[in-house]
Amino acid sequence: MTDLQEKVPPTLTGLADLLDTGDAAETEAADPWGRPSLCEGWTVAHVVAHVTMPARLTPEQWGAEMAAAGGDFGVLSNTVAQRDSALPRAELLEQLRSARLHAWQPPGGGAAGALSHAVIHSLDVTVALGVPTVAPQEAVVAVLDAVTATGGSWFGVDLSGVRLEATDADWSWGSGEPLRAPLGDLVSLVSGRTLPDGRSLPRR
């Protein structure tokens, strides 16, 4: 695996460890799986079901799901997330920890795409829950560097006239009005998410 791919397993395993709280020990109010994530309309369970799709679907099943969605990946993602979020938590946690998922790369996305997928969705959970980032700092920085290098075009955000400054690391990018936040929050912002405090970046 490349250096970028090697950062995927600790990110996904860290997310599994965070959520492996044991059903019996959780009250409904304290249960993180049912809480909202940064993905609009999705709970934490929906995010996990989405992230683990490559560990669960064979190429044939993937093709069938895409055909059923009329070739629309957004429709496929929502359908699978809604349906598979009801799978047993132990099964979803096992998939988060699986070697198959850790080695997966999105078609055409390579190791950079795999790392972005893991880091961004892990932050959809941790930032929403207000808990420490599970992804290694170097993984978060690598994704932040990759997204800002495109000027935000990956996710349709407008980074013109803004200077991003990390409050928990020696990292900054851009020029203009300072926007200061922890590294993980900055990744979520440049990925088109709205933070729990209401901050977001304008869309193109």
Side-chain angles (χ1 to χ4, degrees):
M1 293 191 292
T2 67
D3 289 344
L4 291 178
Q5 193 76 35
E6 289 170 353
K7 296 178 175 65
V8 171
T11 299
L12 296 178
T13 299
L15 183 59
D17 291 346
L18 171 68
L19 297 175
D20 193 0
T21 53
D23 292 4
E26 291 293 337
T27 65
E28 184 176 348
D31 183 5
W33 289 75
R35 291 178 59 182
S37 73
L38 293 191
C39 290
E40 187 175 356
W42 281 10
T43 65
V44 169
H46 291 136
V47 173
V48 175
H50 171 75
V51 170
T52 53
M53 277 197 302
R56 196 165 52 251
L57 301 181
T58 66
E60 293 75 20
Q61 289 170 324
W62 176 268
E65 294 279 5
M66 185 61 82
D72 188 323
F73 179 72
V75 171
L76 182 153
S77 294
N78 280 314
T79 298
V80 173
Q82 293 289 341
R83 181 191 69 211
D84 291 357
S85 62
L87 289 169
R89 294 180 182 181
E91 183 177 336
L92 292 171
L93 291 170
E94 182 179 3
Q95 291 165 3
L96 277 176
R97 296 181 172 119
S98 71
R100 178 178 175 182
L101 183 60
H102 295 174
W104 172 80
Q105 296 181 354
L115 184 63
S116 295
H117 180 77
V119 169
I120 291 170
H121 285 308
S122 75
L123 290 165
D124 286 334
V125 172
T126 58
V127 173
L129 296 179
V131 299
T133 302
V134 296
Q137 186 181 81
E138 61 270 23
V140 179
V141 170
V143 173
L144 192 51
D145 285 340
V147 178
T148 53
T150 72
S153 62
W154 274 10
F155 297 95
V157 298
D158 185 0
L159 296 182
S160 61
V162 63
R163 176 175 172 80
L164 304 176
E165 298 180 356
T167 57
D168 55 350
D170 184 16
W171 187 94
S172 61
W173 179 92
S175 60
E177 186 70 22
L179 193 165
R180 301 182 179 91
L183 286 168
D185 287 17
L186 292 178
V187 170
S188 295
L189 286 166
V190 300
S191 301
R193 275 59 168 171
T194 299
L195 298 182
D197 64 11
R199 284 186 294 174
S200 63
L201 287 168
R203 311 294 294 192
R204 290 179 180 273

